[in-house]
């Protein structure tokens, strides 16, 4: 039944994944259908990686290998059978990653630029990205039925979260006020008043906004900004992990170096 990797992945997509099926990963991994799953070896994965590196980074290849590994493991668990899983303990060295984050001055310039262009909706979107640490897709797909202002929280359903877990996002006063002041013109929090449809992107308006503000960032960098500001205020790394919805602490540790005050205080002891 599961003689090829693609058949394992198809099962995984059908029964374990929700909205995001990661079909592009499945398509790339069809490379391995030249082999029966039982015959796959780590040397074959290395060959795959060599070919993929022409157009993809090691980080991308690692995600694809993780996807294949998870698919095989789910079949093993569900069917209680033994399958060859050569993707176990496979990880290629990734380039150093340094998260980009905004200073308070840059953040304020970005908000001012949004208002100067008359785009209150973009302004509010930027505020909520920065004050909740959401990924853009998580806010774009947020429905009012999942917003609970009385509890100062909203819910990101599992099919929209990257970790595939339902997440509770908590609201500070700024985020609370922003949500509370939004007009409820549709079932989605960010609904286009002109069309009545939910917004699917702010890419063009955000590009103009950051150019006007002379700020070099992506929308995802606002999530990094959220984590960075928290850690610089002394919030514990495990609390930040939970607030971001990370599945493991390794993903959160990329921000640990930003708590540099403790290191400077330590060095002051000797000179």
């Amino acid at each position: 039944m599961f003689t090829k990797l693609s058949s394992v992945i198809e099962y995984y997509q059908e029964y374990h994944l929700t909205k995001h099926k990661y079909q592009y990963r499945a398509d790339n991994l069809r490379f391995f259908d030249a082999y029966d799953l039982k015959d796959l070896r780590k040397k074959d994965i290395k060959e795959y990686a060599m070919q993929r590196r022409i157009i993809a980074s090691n980080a991308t290849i690692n995600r694809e290998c993780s996807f294949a590994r998870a698919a095989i493991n789910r079949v093993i668990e569900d069917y209680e059978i033994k399958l060859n899983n050569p993707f176990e303990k496979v990880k290629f060295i990734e380039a150093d990653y340094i998260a980009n984050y905004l200073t308070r001055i840059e953040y304020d310039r970005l908000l001012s630029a949004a208002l100067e262009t008359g785009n209150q909706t973009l302004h509010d979107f930027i505020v909520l990205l920065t004050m909740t640490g959401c990924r853009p897709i998580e806010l774009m797909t947020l429905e009012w039925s999942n917003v609970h202002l009385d509890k100062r929280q909203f819910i990101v359903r599992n099919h929209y979260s990257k970790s595939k877990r339902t997440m509770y996002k908590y609201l500070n006063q700024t985020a609370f006020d922003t949500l509370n002041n939004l007009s409820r013109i549709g079932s989605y929090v960010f609904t286009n008043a002109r069309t009545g449809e939910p917004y699917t992107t702010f890419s063009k308006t955000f590009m103009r906004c950051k150019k006007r503000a002379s700020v070099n960032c992506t929308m995802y960098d606002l999530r990094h900004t959220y984590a960075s500001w928290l850690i610089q205020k002394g919030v514990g790394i495990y609390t930040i992990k939970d607030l971001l919805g990370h599945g493991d602490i390794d993903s959160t540790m990329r921000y640990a170096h930003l708590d540099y005050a403790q290191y400077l205080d330590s060095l002051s002891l000797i000179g």
Side-chain angles (χ1 to χ4, degrees), residues 234-245:
V235 179
I237 197 74
Y238 282 93
T239 299
I240 295 172
K241 168 187 171 294
D242 292 339
L243 289 172
L244 287 170

Side-chain angles (χ1 to χ4, degrees), residues 24 26 72 120 122 142 165 181 199 201 225 235 267:
Y24 60 96
I72 296 171
Q120 181 69 46
L122 176 62
L142 179 62
R165 294 182 292 112
N181 291 329
Y199 283 98
T201 181
T225 299
V235 179
L267 291 174

Side-chain angles (χ1 to χ4, degrees), residues 91-130:
K91 187 170 184 178
F92 300 99
I93 297 174
E94 298 182 15
D96 288 341
Y97 177 81
I98 299 176
N100 181 37
Y101 68 96
L102 274 59
T103 65
R104 283 281 179 175
I105 293 173
E106 289 173 324
Y107 170 70
D108 289 340
R109 288 211 312 265
L110 200 62
L111 292 181
S112 295
L115 292 179
E116 287 165 7
T117 57
N119 199 327
Q120 181 69 46
T121 304
L122 176 62
H123 171 277
D124 295 341
F125 191 72
I126 291 170
V127 169
L128 286 173
L129 284 177
T130 312

